[in-house]
Amino acid sequence: MTRILATAKTELRIAIRNRWVLIALILMAVFSLVLAAVGSAPTSGGLGVDRLSVTVASLTSLSVYLVPLLALLMSFDAIAGEVERGTLPLLLTYPITRQEVLLGKLLAHLAVLTLAVVVGYGLAAAIAFASDPDAGAGLAALWRLTWTSVLLGATFLGAGYGLSALARRPSGAAGLAIGLWLGLVVLYDLALLAAIVADGGGWFTTDVFPYALLANPADAFRLFNLTASGAMAAASGIGGAAGTIPVWQSLLPVLIWPICATALAGLAFRKVTP
């Protein structure tokens, strides 16, 4: 554990030097404030729920795009960068295993992401409380969104490490990371919607579609937060259409994917030769 913490401290100093802490904080804060200020004001009263719950629904839609992107941007060169700079052979001469190196990097990057999430959501919650005295009813939803956002970030951090190990070069890893983000966060949902339209309410829509959503960590994150929130009526599209999926079924992928992604990254890292 001491070696993991030492690696994490080093990676955290690198993240601060490379401005990743500042970038993550600014992005989360700006987008969260915009959504809190203009996104939920006209709708909260009509829905019969407190403003914070509606703000959480809006933040869920933001987080499913922004959190994975930030995680991949922080992790895509975690291993490939060490290879290109020639520091990996030196790193592996230390009395530390590859798994400990990976966990140290994960701990540091997850700390940066967690700080950004807490600051961004906290600012959005402050606006909600300032404008709605009943906003306290949405605190449970806000807490749920916070820890699931951290888990979603851990999933894509692990995926980024795996791609970094496979690519061996930062440029290639960056391309793979952007491709993964586009595939899972953007194109996956578009493909599902196209399949639903083509299916016309048939077997795909009723039998396959719910499980296809749960197979994607981004969609499982969104489903869990929307179906467990009192602001479900504010959701639309895939989130609203899948409201019949039990909460526990959408929670399982949220909990399992970070472990699987980190394990796969560890397997890919083992194959990297200095």
Side-chain angles (χ1 to χ4, degrees):
M1 188 62 184
T2 303
R3 293 191 292 265
I4 295 175
L5 291 176
T7 303
K9 290 179 182 178
T10 301
E11 291 295 327
L12 191 57
R13 286 194 293 267
I14 293 174
I16 294 173
R17 186 177 66 234
N18 292 339
R19 303 291 193 274
W20 273 119
V21 176
L22 183 62
I23 291 171
L25 283 172
I26 290 176
L27 286 175
M28 287 300 301
V30 169
F31 282 104
S32 296
L33 284 174
V34 169
L35 284 179
V38 302
S40 61
T43 60
S44 57
L47 292 172
V49 295
D50 63 281
R51 183 170 179 181
L52 182 56
S53 294
V54 180
T55 298
V56 167
S58 299
L59 288 174
T60 300
S61 299
L62 165 71
S63 301
V64 80
Y65 291 99
L66 189 54
V67 170
L69 182 61
L70 286 175
L72 288 171
L73 288 176
M74 284 192 290
S75 61
F76 78 90
D77 69 338
I79 298 173
E82 299 276 7
V83 174
E84 186 175 65
R85 292 188 297 269
T87 56
L88 184 61
L90 176 62
L91 179 63
L92 296 180
T93 60
Y94 297 148
I96 183 172
T97 66
R98 296 191 181 209
Q99 196 66 27
E100 289 172 332
V101 170
L102 202 61
L103 290 176
K105 290 177 178 289
L106 175 63
L107 187 60
H109 292 152
L110 204 56
V112 175
L113 200 59
T114 301
L115 178 62
V117 165
V118 170
V119 170
Y121 294 172
L123 291 173
I127 291 180
F129 273 101
S131 58
D132 183 2
D134 298 323
L139 282 175
L142 180 65
W143 166 242
R144 182 169 51 246
L145 177 64
T146 301
W147 63 261
T148 53
S149 295
V150 173
L151 290 178
L152 179 66
T155 298
F156 280 87
L157 284 172
Y161 299 147
L163 295 177
S164 186
L166 292 174
R168 310 289 179 90
R169 296 180 62 86
S171 57
L176 290 175
I178 296 301
L180 179 67
W181 182 82
L182 287 173
L184 289 183
V185 177
V186 180
L187 299 180
Y188 189 89
D189 288 350
L190 292 178
L192 289 182
L193 289 174
I196 290 174
V197 172
D199 183 53
W203 67 274
F204 179 86
T205 303
T206 57
D207 298 331
V208 178
F209 175 61
Y211 296 100
L213 287 175
L214 296 178
N216 185 341
D219 282 332
F221 161 83
R222 177 162 46 193
L223 287 175
F224 175 68
N225 282 285
L226 292 180
T227 55
S229 172
M232 184 63 195
S236 60
I238 286 181
T244 57
I245 297 178
V247 175
W248 69 268
Q249 289 187 5
S250 57
L251 174 61
L252 281 179
V254 174
L255 298 175
I256 292 173
W257 267 113
I259 300 173
C260 293
T262 305
L264 291 175
L267 292 175
F269 191 22
R270 288 181 183 177
K271 298 181 180 181
V272 176
T273 55

